[in-house]
């Protein structure tokens, strides 16, 4: 079984954190996309309603119906304004999630770098031990040959 080093545990945790951050960015982008679609629908509905209202006004409309139509348009405009506020907040949230993802990625890269250094250090130690053992074996062999 391979020995688990603290840097490996930290890197694994950072990798898990990176995955969560990646998923959070995806969710934020999906929310942003959905809000944009909702905004587009509201704006299209407003445009269509105004077109229909204009056609109705040309053929004649009572003043009470016209004032009701104006209140309805005001309500649609209010909904559009609310949606714009929501979209702004979602865009900021997405930017924040992207920053968190970038930070998590840098942590993983840092831990990977530290692990690579640790691996190189262990390899160097193993190489030195092997060289020492080879030198000792060669010295013993040489000594045996001289004694024989």
């Amino acid at each position: 079984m391979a020995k688990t080093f603290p840097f490996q545990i930290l890197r694994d945790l950072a990798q898990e954190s990176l995955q969560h951050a990646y998923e959070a960015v995806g969710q934020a982008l999906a929310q942003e996309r959905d809000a944009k679609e909702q905004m587009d629908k509201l704006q299209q509905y407003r445009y269509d309603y105004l077109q229909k209202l204009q056609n109705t006004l040309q053929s004649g409309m009572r003043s009470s119906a016209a004032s009701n139509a104006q209140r309805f348009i005001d309500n649609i405009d209010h909904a559009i304004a609310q949606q714009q506020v929501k979209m702004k907040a979602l865009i900021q949230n997405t930017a924040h999630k992207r920053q968190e993802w970038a930070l998590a990625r840098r942590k993983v890269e840092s831990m990977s770098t530290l692990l690579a250094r640790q691996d190189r250090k262990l390899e160097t130690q193993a190489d030195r031990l092997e060289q020492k053992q080879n030198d000792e074996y060669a010295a013993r062999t040489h000594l045996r040959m001289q004694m024989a």
Side-chain angles (χ1 to χ4, degrees):
M1 181 173 153
K3 188 175 178 184
T4 302
F5 296 102
F7 287 132
Q8 285 176 308
I9 295 169
L10 291 174
R11 187 195 57 195
D12 292 346
L13 290 172
Q15 186 70 42
E16 188 175 311
S17 201
L18 175 63
Q19 183 62 33
H20 290 305
Y22 178 75
E23 291 168 2
V25 169
Q27 290 172 350
L29 286 170
Q31 290 173 344
E32 194 177 318
R33 183 192 63 240
D34 292 346
K36 173 78 170 103
E37 288 175 4
Q38 183 68 27
M39 172 68 84
D40 292 344
K41 287 177 184 178
L42 284 169
Q43 289 173 334
Q44 185 62 46
Y45 183 72
R46 183 183 190 279
Y47 175 79
D48 293 343
Y49 186 79
L50 285 174
Q51 291 295 347
K52 182 180 172 185
L53 181 62
Q54 189 174 27
N55 291 337
T56 305
L57 285 173
Q58 288 174 354
S59 63
M61 178 183 251
R62 292 191 326 229
S63 64
S64 63
S67 66
N68 285 341
Q70 184 57 51
R71 278 194 298 274
F72 186 70
I73 291 170
D74 290 343
N75 285 340
I76 294 173
D77 288 342
H78 180 69
I80 289 172
Q82 286 179 326
Q83 192 66 18
Q84 286 172 333
V85 169
K86 181 180 179 180
M87 281 194 57
K88 184 177 179 182
L90 289 172
I91 289 168
Q92 289 173 345
N93 183 51
T94 300
H96 178 71
K97 296 297 181 188
R98 283 182 173 160
Q99 289 173 346
E100 288 177 352
W101 173 78
L103 178 62
R105 190 185 70 205
R106 282 192 299 274
K107 283 182 181 179
V108 168
E109 290 169 355
S110 296
M111 290 298 144
S112 294
T113 299
L114 291 173
L115 252 177
R117 285 182 193 163
Q118 186 179 37
D119 287 346
R120 284 192 303 273
K121 181 179 176 182
L122 291 174
E123 286 175 15
T124 301
Q125 289 173 347
D127 290 346
R128 286 180 182 161
L129 179 60
E130 182 182 356
Q131 184 62 46
K132 181 180 175 186
Q133 289 171 345
N134 286 340
D135 290 346
E136 288 174 1
Y137 177 76
R140 281 194 306 268
T141 302
H142 179 68
L143 187 60
R144 273 190 233 132
M145 289 178 74
Q146 284 183 346
M147 294 176 98

